[in-house]
Amino acid sequence: MAIIYHEESKSFHLYNRFISYIIEVMPNGMLKNVYYGKRIHDRSDYSYQGNDGFLMHGVCSVDGGLALQHQKQEYPAPGIGDYRESAFLIRQENGSHISRFLYSYHTIYEGKKPLENLPATYVEKKSEATGIDIILYDSLTDTDLVLTYTIYEDLPVITRSARFEQKGEQTIVLEKALSACVDFPDKEYEMVHLSGAWGRERHIKIRKLEEGTQSIDSIRGVSGAEHNPFIALKRPHTTEFTGEVYGFSFVYSGNFLAKVEVTPHEITRVILGIHPYNFAWPLKKGDSFQTPEVVMVYSEEGLNGMSRVFHELYATRLARGTWRDKERPILINNWEATYFNFNEEKILSIAQKAKSVGIELFVLDDGWYGERNIDDRSLGDWYPNPEKLPHGVSGLSEKIEAMGLKFGIWIEPEMVNKNSDLYRAHPDWLISTPERYESMCRTQHILDYSRKEVVDYIFGLLDKLISESKISYVKWDMNRYMSEAYSRTAKANMQGTVMHRHILGVYNLYERLIQKHPDILFESCASGGARFDPGMLYYAPQTWCSDDTDAAERLKIQYGTSLVYPVRSMGAHVSAVPNHQVNRMTSIDMRASVAFFGAFGYELDLNTLSEEELNRVKEQIEFYKKNRRLFQFGTFTRILSPFEGNTTCWMVSNEDATQVIAAYYQVLNVANGPWLKVKLAGLKPDTLYQVSYEDKQYVMYGSEIMQIGIPVDRKEFTKKGDFTSILFILQAKKGEA
Ligand code: GLA
């Protein structure tokens, strides 16, 4: 068992060969964090470390001398002398917000328990992880607080969540219930996070910590494009390859808060969970509230080390189902090819061409249902438009399957337009506040998924659609943020539950659909990448990265996304030029060489390409099919960051680094530039590799490639102009592996 309990000192040591996480019950019964980081030797008692800080002016004490303001705590309480962000807030019937949760007992067990109705990482065998529930108790309100920790056996990963269980007679109201808090003993860190907006999601931001708070959040009802539910603390000298980093990722798709607070005594608090905005959850006797999970990764091998762990965990122990371990099909999507302007004939002509170049799946995007010829109508009317599709979705899907392609379809099930049959029949199904203006976004509104009958109705429509047609893939979109959050049927005291219960409704619909149709590949989407979060990956193993399909822009988007999310979870397509988002011209080679590092596909009308371009597309598809396993299941390593300069480099390698594909990209051309040598990483130093790119061939030792670099003729490279790429193929020479 990877969790030791030292009875005498009341301390817990969660450890594996990489990490240690040590908790101690303080003399007054509250929980203290002794240490989190690289594995240290176990000992039976850490009390010689004493308590942090001492009493002085301006510091309150509890229990005869404990200065909570200075303690490194596991799940800090509000209002009792610790003035930092608390982990929870409970309003009691007398109006008090003071709680006192003290250690009661704990249980240590093999494996990992699922979180009811919530996405979470899991194990396949009990031996993969060890769990502990530490139960704290507030005797005045008669409430249990269960802090759950899981440590994975073979990964530097600890997951955390909290559950409140009300046993007492009074109804308490949880006004805040975060998932995890870690207090670090110093502040020598930089905070790394992923921020952006529509079309430029998940750009890497790095800032030095200073006294005070820095936080990212969403109160949009969805994780959002603005900030991803992820932060990391890295040492200032940590690079992609070396140095310590602690990653925190929140497995949830709704409102979140991720906050880093540094005290003047240089303790750094990291705290994450559901944002307390508009959150108030009553708990009467017998009720409980489970928070979502936070995944914590420690690495001393830089940001790449952290990402490798997130990739492995999320691709194999968060994503589920038939498609988790299967190679993803090369698809073509008609959105940028046609927008709303299509009919069956047009779709079939795109599909036919796609088939002829080797594409495997056709995806019919928005515009196939109701009267959806423009984006102000018909969301909610999930039945085909007979003018566009005279044989319905089922007829079209059969024709496409008969061509030898699989068929996929776009839906946006959480939404409704006022101009729809659904709204006319159920105007009160919207999330909106009575007698207040109903803000619009893309002329649409959000259905109230906190209501079971709404979820049931949409399930019925979608189940029918999927059951009646030959559907292999579903692109599940979500194109607006929540406003005026209010449920027409919830009582006043339940309105603070609506935003979270809405997300539970979304998860419920996903779960029912994937249980009923387990072979469908789901791809989540939200105006591009506005809901690229771990919660979604539990249901849909891939996510549309961004509506911005420009190759140069995608370098930043995909590089940033890869900090947490695996390559095969990132939908990445080759689209038309001039690019529809930035009007930029890039070559078909550049576009494909970026999209290869993702769940690869096309998003254009192939009928408009020249013969020469079509031939290139054919070659790209052959190349991708040959190397698909490597791209989608290999180890991804970032080498050069687009956030630091004009070039980007990244690579994928198989398990024993005998096969590698690396890409080097240059955004703007450089006159009379420096000699160009492309250095890679993670190769076997003493192995000879056959290195090929374009018409060049070299035989080089791994160590040469890593230390000297693959030579590129700058003069030749310069002839290519702006927005260029080189793909390097490395194969360990026979007998060398
Ligand atoms: C969103 C998606 C796009 C496309 C459109 C359709 O913007 O991100 O890929 O599906 O909706 O309306």
Side-chain angles (χ1 to χ4, degrees):
M1 288 277 225
I3 300 180
I4 303 175
Y5 175 56
H6 296 293
E7 176 78 50
E8 236 133 89
S9 62
K10 286 209 168 67
S11 60
F12 305 90
H13 189 168
L14 287 64
Y15 71 94
N16 61 24
R17 63 183 186 281
F18 310 104
I19 51 173
S20 285
Y21 190 99
I22 300 167
I23 306 165
E24 186 183 271
V25 181
M26 292 192 278
N28 75 340
M30 293 178 178
L31 290 190
K32 164 179 171 174
N33 182 285
V34 175
Y35 174 76
Y36 173 35
K38 186 182 163 100
R39 165 81 191 266
I40 58 171
H41 202 284
D42 183 53
R43 64 185 295 148
S44 56
D45 190 350
Y46 300 89
S47 59
Y48 73 93
Q49 287 278 341
N51 285 317
D52 296 312
F54 50 91
L55 291 168
M56 64 199 91
H57 287 287
V59 175
C60 301
S61 70
V62 287
D63 302 310
L66 205 54
L68 284 182
Q69 174 66 15
H70 298 307
Q71 296 309 317
K72 288 165 43 235
Q73 297 175 70
E74 283 299 303
Y75 202 73
I80 53 171
D82 179 355
Y83 298 100
R84 293 167 287 178
E85 183 81 41
S86 67
F88 66 97
L89 191 62
I90 293 177
R91 192 177 75 234
Q92 291 138 57
E93 280 180 354
N94 67 358
S96 155
H97 279 98
I98 303 306
S99 308
R100 186 179 167 83
F101 283 98
L102 304 181
Y103 172 77
S104 175
Y105 64 97
H106 68 270
T107 52
I108 297 177
Y109 47 89
E110 270 200 316
K112 186 170 193 292
K113 299 178 193 164
L115 296 189
E116 209 182 333
N117 303 323
L118 282 169
T121 55
Y122 58 89
V123 292
E124 288 200 329
K125 285 188 278 188
K126 277 194 166 174
S127 57
E128 287 176 12
T130 308
I132 179 168
D133 292 345
I134 304 180
I135 292 85
L136 308 169
Y137 178 64
D138 183 350
S139 56
L140 195 63
T141 55
D142 196 5
T143 312
D144 275 346
L145 163 59
V146 184
L147 298 184
T148 298
Y149 301 74
T150 302
I151 179 159
Y152 275 81
E153 187 71 25
D154 291 319
L155 290 169
V157 171
I158 290 177
T159 66
R160 290 188 56 177
S161 67
R163 191 170 67 253
F164 291 86
E165 297 174 355
Q166 177 56 343
K167 305 194 293 189
E169 296 301 329
Q170 70 164 302
T171 297
I172 58 172
V173 181
L174 263 182
E175 293 184 339
K176 181 203 261 185
L178 303 187
S179 296
C181 169
V182 179
D183 284 346
F184 291 86
D186 69 276
K187 64 153 199 175
E188 292 312 311
Y189 292 102
E190 291 174 339
M191 170 172 150
V192 183
H193 59 110
L194 299 170
S195 291
W198 175 87
R200 52 179 173 83
E201 297 90 341
R202 289 172 302 287
H203 283 207
I204 297 178
K205 305 286 168 193
I206 300 178
R207 66 178 78 180
K208 186 172 158 21
L209 292 189
E210 284 299 352
E211 280 79 350
T213 59
Q214 31 261 295
S215 67
I216 52 161
D217 66 19
S218 167
I219 54 168
R220 299 172 164 80
V222 44
S223 48
E226 286 67 16
H227 304 287
N228 200 256
F230 157 80
I231 51 174
L233 291 190
K234 74 172 191 68
R235 294 294 183 185
H237 300 296
T238 294
T239 66
E240 283 285 16
F241 296 99
T242 59
E244 281 194 305
V245 54
Y246 296 82
F248 298 85
S249 167
F250 189 37
V251 188
Y252 188 60
S253 310
N255 292 347
F256 73 90
L257 172 67
K259 187 166 178 180
V260 182
E261 181 169 357
V262 180
T263 70
H265 291 81
E266 301 187 356
I267 292 180
T268 299
R269 170 164 293 175
V270 176
I271 197 158
L272 295 92
I274 295 181
H275 201 295
Y277 166 75
N278 210 354
F279 178 87
W281 198 282
L283 292 179
K284 57 180 178 355
K285 188 175 181 163
D287 288 349
S288 63
F289 181 81
Q290 172 66 58
T291 75
E293 174 170 284
V294 166
V295 174
M296 313 196 302
V297 170
Y298 169 80
S299 166
E300 52 172 345
E301 292 172 0
L303 291 167
N304 270 313
M306 174 196 72
S307 301
R308 268 200 305 275
V309 176
F310 274 123
H311 293 176
E312 184 177 340
L313 184 74
Y314 283 180
T316 65
R317 293 295 180 269
L318 177 64
R320 300 174 294 164
T322 316
W323 284 95
R324 187 189 74 178
D325 303 330
K326 261 173 103 166
E327 291 183 15
R328 310 290 162 74
I330 302 176
L331 65 81
I332 186 151
N333 176 303
N334 74 306
W335 178 241
E336 288 196 17
T338 63
Y339 296 104
F340 295 111
N341 186 17
F342 62 81
N343 55 25
E344 192 186 83
E345 197 187 332
K346 176 83 186 161
I347 293 300
L348 290 175
S349 79
I350 297 175
Q352 194 69 60
K353 203 51 155 197
K355 174 66 192 164
S356 75
V357 294
I359 287 174
E360 298 157 325
L361 165 73
F362 176 86
V363 179
L364 181 63
D365 211 280
D366 195 357
W368 58 265
Y369 51 93
E371 291 167 7
R372 184 80 167 176
N373 296 316
I374 174 169
D375 67 6
D376 68 356
R377 65 197 62 179
S378 296
L379 286 170
D381 298 344
W382 300 113
Y383 26 86
N385 174 341
E387 277 163 38
K388 283 176 163 172
L389 303 179
H391 308 100
V393 172
S394 64
L396 177 65
S397 68
E398 274 159 28
K399 288 185 188 173
I400 292 210
E401 280 232 332
M403 285 178 189
L405 285 169
K406 293 288 179 197
F407 177 76
I409 197 154
W410 177 98
I411 54 172
E412 197 181 353
E414 296 148 71
M415 297 293 158
V416 65
N417 291 116
K418 286 198 168 168
N419 187 355
S420 69
D421 295 345
L422 175 62
Y423 179 76
R424 285 182 282 271
H426 299 285
D428 68 324
W429 279 13
L430 295 196
I431 291 235
S432 71
T433 304
E435 296 170 58
R436 297 286 180 197
Y437 184 76
E438 293 166 338
S439 302
M440 272 193 298
C441 184
R442 211 191 185 202
T443 346
Q444 65 194 58
H445 299 269
I446 302 186
L447 288 170
D448 183 356
Y449 271 31
S450 72
R451 290 169 65 175
K452 186 170 177 312
E453 69 273 27
V454 179
V455 177
D456 287 349
Y457 174 82
I458 298 292
F459 172 77
L461 282 186
L462 295 180
D463 182 37
K464 184 167 182 297
L465 171 76
I466 294 170
S467 306
E468 286 177 358
S469 306
K470 293 188 178 310
I471 291 177
S472 308
Y473 161 107
V474 170
K475 176 177 172 188
W476 177 318
D477 210 341
M478 207 287 316
N479 281 317
R480 72 157 289 178
Y481 295 153
M482 199 179 279
S483 59
E484 294 88 32
Y486 187 94
S487 174
R488 299 285 172 147
T489 46
K491 295 211 175 86
N493 69 336
M494 294 302 284
Q495 292 298 337
T497 68
V498 170
M499 293 185 92
H500 179 56
R501 282 196 297 123
H502 175 82
I503 294 291
L504 295 180
V506 173
Y507 290 155
N508 177 269
L509 181 61
Y510 253 119
E511 190 64 32
R512 286 160 75 179
L513 285 171
I514 61 178
Q515 292 305 337
K516 181 103 192 265
H517 305 281
D519 293 334
I520 289 187
L521 171 59
F522 281 88
E523 175 160 326
S524 74
C525 173
S527 302
R531 199 162 63 179
F532 204 136
D533 63 52
M536 280 293 120
L537 281 186
Y538 185 70
Y539 303 96
Q542 58 191 61
T543 302
W544 180 226
C545 245
S546 176
D547 276 349
D548 187 344
T549 51
D550 172 69
E553 297 273 304
R554 275 293 184 122
L555 291 174
K556 286 188 173 163
I557 296 169
Q558 291 175 210
Y559 195 97
T561 305
S562 79
L563 233 46
V564 185
Y565 305 98
V567 165
R568 66 177 178 278
S569 70
M570 296 185 214
H573 300 168
V574 173
S575 62
V577 288
N579 174 267
H580 292 195
Q581 293 76 37
V582 293
N583 216 21
R584 179 175 289 142
M585 295 297 292
T586 54
S587 70
I588 193 104
D589 290 349
M590 172 71 177
R591 279 172 273 158
S593 65
V594 177
F596 283 153
F597 292 83
F600 181 63
Y602 290 81
E603 182 137 351
L604 74 175
D605 185 351
L606 293 168
N607 294 301
T608 61
L609 296 190
S610 68
E611 204 51 41
E612 197 189 324
E613 281 175 321
L614 259 189
N615 285 334
R616 289 301 291 146
V617 168
K618 256 191 218 157
E619 287 165 14
Q620 289 165 357
I621 289 169
E622 261 168 48
F623 172 76
Y624 190 76
K625 282 182 180 167
K626 205 168 121 210
N627 296 291
R628 171 160 37 195
R629 194 119 215 119
L630 186 55
F631 278 122
Q632 295 184 356
F633 292 79
T635 301
F636 181 79
T637 306
R638 295 176 300 269
I639 311 269
L640 292 174
S641 168
F643 298 101
E644 287 168 13
N646 192 29
T647 55
T648 301
C649 181
W650 55 41
M651 57 181 266
V652 283
S653 52
N654 66 352
E655 220 167 296
D656 56 2
T658 52
Q659 282 178 355
V660 173
I661 298 180
Y664 177 85
Y665 311 91
Q666 179 175 276
V667 176
L668 290 183
N669 207 356
V670 178
N672 194 15
W675 312 127
L676 187 48
K677 314 263 182 210
V678 178
K679 292 183 196 170
L680 303 182
L683 306 178
K684 292 160 78 133
D686 300 319
T687 295
L688 270 180
Y689 288 86
Q690 181 74 44
V691 180
S692 8
Y693 70 91
E694 292 159 11
D695 57 355
K696 302 282 188 305
Q697 294 285 345
Y698 298 101
V699 175
M700 297 172 74
Y701 280 106
S703 52
E704 285 175 272
I705 302 170
M706 294 190 286
Q707 304 307 326
I708 309 178
I710 306 167
V712 175
D713 183 335
R714 171 68 78 176
K715 226 162 102 202
E716 285 294 308
F717 189 54
T718 303
K719 287 187 194 149
K720 292 184 171 190
D722 294 337
F723 317 117
T724 45
S725 61
I726 307 174
L727 276 184
F728 300 96
I729 318 292
L730 276 67
Q731 173 74 53
K733 298 222 5 127
K734 279 234 160 58
E736 291 278 339

